[in-house]
Amino acid sequence: MLTDTAIRRLKLRESRYLTLDGNGLYLLVCPNGRKIWTVRYWIDKKLHQLRIGDYPMMGLAEARAERDEIKNDARYEKKVAAPMGLTFGEFAREWYEKRKRPKLSKSAQALYDLRFRYLDPLMARPLTGITREEIVDTLHKLSEQHPAETVRRTGGIVSMVMGYALATKKIPYDPSSQLGLELPIHVSKPMPAATHAPEIGVLMCALESIDSLVLRSAIQLIAYTFVRSGEACLARWDEIDLKEGLWSVPAEHTKTKLDHLVPLSRQAVAILDTLRRRFGGKGHIFPSRNRGKLVIPSTLSREMVKLQSLPREARPVPTVVHGFRATASTVLNEHQWNRDVIEAQLGHFERNKSRRAYNRAEYLPVRIPMMQWYADYLDSLRDGRSEPEMPDL
């Protein structure tokens, strides 16, 4: 039988291979590092198999429980009896690698990978057997925990995959046609954020309670720099100049597709220096616990949700990672920093390239002291001290 330690030590090969756990449960190890739980059966002298999820999203105990339920519960009889063939997950990955991935930035690739996880209930289903009801049910369950826009975009991926399957004659009809008519309507709402001084102080204290050094450091760095979470998760050491206190975010990591320069406060430099000494100063700054992978924005979001389980006196107002940008904008505007400087630091650049270059050069001398003042302000609220004086510019 497998153990988590044994699974982590499985070596990659040039071709994929199965390793047995027991009683029909296997782990399919792919050359790209992906590990897929697979349940295999012999029915009427024919081999059938069902892929039930990816490791480590589906843990060892959960995979065994799913195997037992599939084998013992009559509700799965029809699913188990389905003949081996191309699954939705296999075809979706094929479509993604050939048609979509080459055109996407790294941050966009991370979003697609996340949305494929949202579609996990469909991944092991035969491509030709998926019904409209299954698709709608999967997306409606997703809407119970995620915004309507996330559901809509995830449904869009299903539609693109099915459309490609229809075009290549893999399916006789498209069960996702006009899927948007049955999905929740997107209503834009402000991101939950701490915008009042007492709330910000409690939030900054709460961040200290995050156990993981990597996750705590990532969220604190975002708090001090108010970059987008995708920019932080994709950050590399070659973007950072600790001596000069500057972070050069490349265009391919930004939402605007423009280079972005972030002055680093002493607090931000200290966070990065701790990580450098712990993990070395090469490659990505925020490695995931899964070797070879990175921390993703949804992982940071889950850590923010966990803060709501703190004791009442230490519990911050509900806040999302993106909310740190609203916090910074509110505080800096209330303290009458130049609005153009604030917008430049938020990455809201002019689209005109020559104007943007001019703004970047002109505002940097102001953005550097502004970012240090803001970091000192956050610390003063966390520690219950008087707020720092405004610099004399």
Side-chain angles (χ1 to χ4, degrees), residues 197-244:
E199 297 174 347
I200 299 170
V202 173
L203 175 59
M204 294 303 294
C205 284
L207 297 185
E208 299 286 346
S209 69
I210 298 175
D211 292 331
S212 166
L213 171 63
V214 171
L215 300 182
R216 182 175 67 250
S217 299
I219 295 175
Q220 288 178 328
L221 185 67
I222 292 172
Y224 286 125
T225 61
F226 44 95
V227 297
R228 295 179 176 88
S229 58
E231 295 167 357
C233 290
L234 293 171
R236 298 179 57 87
W237 284 110
D238 55 16
E239 301 169 12
I240 304 294
D241 187 334
L242 290 179
K243 185 177 181 180
E244 294 296 327

Side-chain angles (χ1 to χ4, degrees), residues 155-187:
I157 291 177
V158 177
S159 294
M160 287 189 285
V161 172
M162 287 301 189
Y164 183 56
L166 183 64
T168 54
K169 299 182 180 180
K170 294 292 191 303
I171 54 177
Y173 71 97
D174 181 1
S176 68
S177 177
Q178 295 185 315
L179 189 60
L181 298 176
E182 299 183 58
L183 299 183
I185 298 174
H186 172 61
V187 179

Side-chain angles (χ1 to χ4, degrees), residues 15 24 40 80 85 88 91 110 161 163 182 196 203 226 237 250 302 308 315 319 324 330 339 372:
S15 59
R40 306 185 82 182
V80 170
F88 174 82
F91 186 76
V161 172
E182 299 183 58
H196 301 292
L203 175 59
F226 44 95
W237 284 110
R302 285 194 294 271
Q308 296 304 302
R315 187 184 308 157
T319 308
F324 286 112
T330 300
R339 182 175 178 81
Q372 185 58 59

Side-chain angles (χ1 to χ4, degrees), residues 83-145:
M84 293 179 63
L86 188 65
T87 67
F88 174 82
E90 290 169 337
F91 186 76
R93 286 288 175 182
E94 177 185 322
W95 163 82
Y96 175 60
E97 295 293 339
K98 291 182 179 180
R99 308 275 299 186
K100 204 71 180 175
R101 187 185 183 98
K103 305 174 185 178
L104 299 175
S105 65
K106 290 184 179 179
S107 57
Q109 289 175 22
L111 282 175
Y112 266 83
D113 289 339
L114 178 61
R115 286 167 186 151
F116 275 129
R117 296 183 198 176
Y118 293 154
L119 295 171
D120 192 60
L122 300 176
M123 288 304 204
R125 297 286 292 119
L127 180 65
T128 56
I130 290 181
T131 65
R132 185 178 187 84
E133 289 74 18
E134 284 181 288
I135 297 171
V136 172
D137 182 60
T138 297
L139 295 174
H140 274 289
K141 287 180 179 178
L142 181 64
S143 70
E144 295 173 2
Q145 296 181 332

Side-chain angles (χ1 to χ4, degrees), residues 8 21 28 55 87 100 125 146 178 181 208 217 223 232 260 270 279 283 292 298-299 316 338 340-341 345 358 360:
R8 287 193 294 270
D21 176 65
L28 176 64
Y55 181 89
T87 67
K100 204 71 180 175
R125 297 286 292 119
H146 296 275
Q178 295 185 315
L181 298 176
E208 299 286 346
S217 299
H260 184 35
F279 300 109
S298 63
T299 303
N338 184 298
D340 289 338
V341 176
Q345 193 53 59
Y358 174 72
R360 176 172 176 167

